[in-house]
Amino acid sequence: MINFWIPLPIELRLVLLSLTGVLLGVISNYAIYNLAWDRRPIGPWCRAHPDAPARSISDRIPILGWLGMRRENHLHGKGFWIRPMGIEVAMSIGIPAYYWYVTQTASLLPIGFRAPKDIVAAESWMTTVFAAHLVLITIMVAATFIDFDERTIPDLLTIPGTILALIFSWCSIFIFLPWDAPNWPEPITFASPSPIAMDWLGPKGWWTAILIWTGWCFALANRRVILRHGLAKAVAYFVASLVRRYNWQLLVAIWLAGSIAIRVAYSFGGIPWISLLSSLVGLGVGGGVVWAIRIVGSVAMNREALGFGDVTLMAMVGAFIGWQGAVMAFFVSPIAAIAIVLVYFILTRNAEIPFGPYLCAGTMLTILWWDDFVSGWFVGNFAILGQFMLWLFLALLGMMGVMLYCYRVVSDRFRGE
């Protein structure tokens, strides 16, 4: 497919990608209004509101069709059509612009490898990265606006996205972004910047992969534990709640299928196994960091600190861009939050917004400035600090818990609770 795509004139590729961006904008809008918990009959591709005028063919023309949809203002609110039309316009412009940024300027490569000959040599790899990011970007757009609307991110977005990321990684290690290797940029795998140890090709890697996969499937189940009647009753209640949940058979099927696929990949070994393991480690670290913060924050504040959709979102991000990028994206997200809060407050006069949009924006900032953020700052510091970074994270996590607990105590005392 890439061998067919790259020889096309760049002007034709950009036009096709602009049309693709429009289509992905339509898909994003459909997901925003139909995968949300509170589905709304907004848009020409869903069932119309009972009181809405009959839909016409012109309504289904992307971008322009929203001008005709203005006639439903009395049902959905004045100006409801502006945001979905803006999403389609933005993606029709942004997707070809991002393609140019990734493949024609090679801005994701280390700065020393952006000469014309290097760009030509890396174009196939960067096209693969771009294709994987199309999926990631589309899901993040839908997740961002559903989170704005409902303060939740549906599993129907993040579960398929995570599985697609694992499939992409199994097919090609070149979905991963580069880091500055001594001679030529290489994909940043789970072991970078250190050389890949041979024992990861053996049982150590296999058990790591299975544990991460099992943990992810478990995270999607009903995890509520009730201890007030003793441990034996808690286990019985826990198992009963798992089986009683409507989708437990689907989760078991996903776990079995994934475990078999991991075993097959492990038996083949080599680069496909390293690539799949890299994606799984990204899944585990990306989701695990947010899950740990969610647990500590919830215990300290005595209420939910982060939605579990944020956990599954970052697990998906880690599966696409690796654990290094996922960690960096999480810590970059507060920078993105400043701009998002300002824009959101200007538009809505509401400064309280969910964390999912921050994480998505932080992910895009991390990708766009990959060479500076990850290949430069993160990988450089990891090479120096090594495993000490884990202890540093745990220490910061503990400090965060203490500070949040103190904040809760002081707040409750001021409120007289």
Side-chain angles (χ1 to χ4, degrees), residues 288-289 292-293 296 331 387-402:
V289 166
I293 292 173
V296 171
F331 288 104
Q387 294 184 352
F388 179 72
M389 291 188 73
L390 173 61
W391 298 108
L392 180 61
F393 170 72
L394 292 176
L396 292 173
L397 192 64
M399 290 171 60
M400 183 196 76
V402 172

Side-chain angles (χ1 to χ4, degrees), residues 248-262:
W248 73 269
Q249 297 98 331
L250 177 60
L251 285 176
V252 170
I254 291 174
W255 178 79
L256 284 173
S259 299
I260 293 170
I262 290 171

Side-chain angles (χ1 to χ4, degrees), residues 299-302 401-417:
V299 170
M301 297 292 290
N302 200 26
V402 172
M403 288 189 294
L404 289 177
Y405 175 77
C406 294
Y407 172 79
R408 175 169 68 89
V409 171
V410 173
S411 298
D412 290 348
R413 185 157 298 186
F414 271 108
R415 289 196 299 263
E417 296 181 4

Side-chain angles (χ1 to χ4, degrees), residues 228-263:
R228 62 176 175 267
H229 299 298
L231 182 61
K233 287 286 188 181
V235 173
Y237 289 151
F238 178 73
V239 173
S241 66
L242 286 179
V243 176
R244 191 162 52 243
R245 189 165 178 174
Y246 71 95
N247 64 347
W248 73 269
Q249 297 98 331
L250 177 60
L251 285 176
V252 170
I254 291 174
W255 178 79
L256 284 173
S259 299
I260 293 170
I262 290 171
R263 180 65 191 182

Side-chain angles (χ1 to χ4, degrees), residues 289-362:
V289 166
V290 183
W291 199 352
I293 292 173
R294 180 180 189 268
I295 291 172
V296 171
S298 298
V299 170
M301 297 292 290
N302 200 26
R303 59 183 175 86
E304 188 177 84
L306 289 172
F308 205 80
D310 299 322
V311 177
T312 57
L313 174 67
M314 286 309 295
M316 179 190 71
V317 168
F320 270 103
I321 66 175
W323 72 269
Q324 302 91 338
V327 172
M328 195 71 219
F330 180 80
F331 288 104
V332 169
S333 59
I335 300 173
I338 297 173
I340 294 174
V341 168
L342 286 175
V343 173
Y344 191 72
F345 179 76
I346 291 171
L347 295 176
T348 67
R349 293 297 184 268
N350 182 7
E352 296 184 6
I353 63 175
F355 200 54
Y358 301 161
L359 296 174
C360 292

Side-chain angles (χ1 to χ4, degrees), residues 121-194:
E123 187 170 5
S124 177
W125 175 11
M126 292 295 99
T127 301
T128 302
V129 168
F130 168 79
H133 288 181
L134 274 186
V135 178
L136 177 61
I137 290 169
T138 303
I139 294 173
M140 289 198 302
V141 168
T144 292
F145 289 101
I146 292 176
D147 210 10
F148 273 133
D149 293 341
E150 295 192 339
R151 305 297 194 269
T152 184
I153 298 175
D155 290 342
L156 286 172
L157 284 173
T158 54
I159 292 176
T162 303
I163 293 173
L164 282 174
L166 296 174
I167 293 172
F168 291 162
S169 68
W170 190 0
C171 295
S172 175
I173 199 171
F174 292 103
I175 73 161
F176 296 110
L177 291 161
W179 70 288
D180 193 357
N183 298 314
W184 177 255
E186 296 178 358
I188 187 163
T189 64
F190 69 95
S192 298
S194 304

Side-chain angles (χ1 to χ4, degrees), residues 6 18 47-48 55 63 65 98 101 107 122 175 183 202 204 213 216 258 267 270 310 318 330 370 390 417:
I6 292 178
S18 182
R47 181 175 296 180
R55 299 276 169 81
I63 301 176
Y98 183 62
Y101 181 82
S107 295
I175 73 161
N183 298 314
K204 179 180 179 180
W213 177 248
W216 181 72
S267 65
D310 299 322
F330 180 80
W370 184 263
L390 173 61
E417 296 181 4

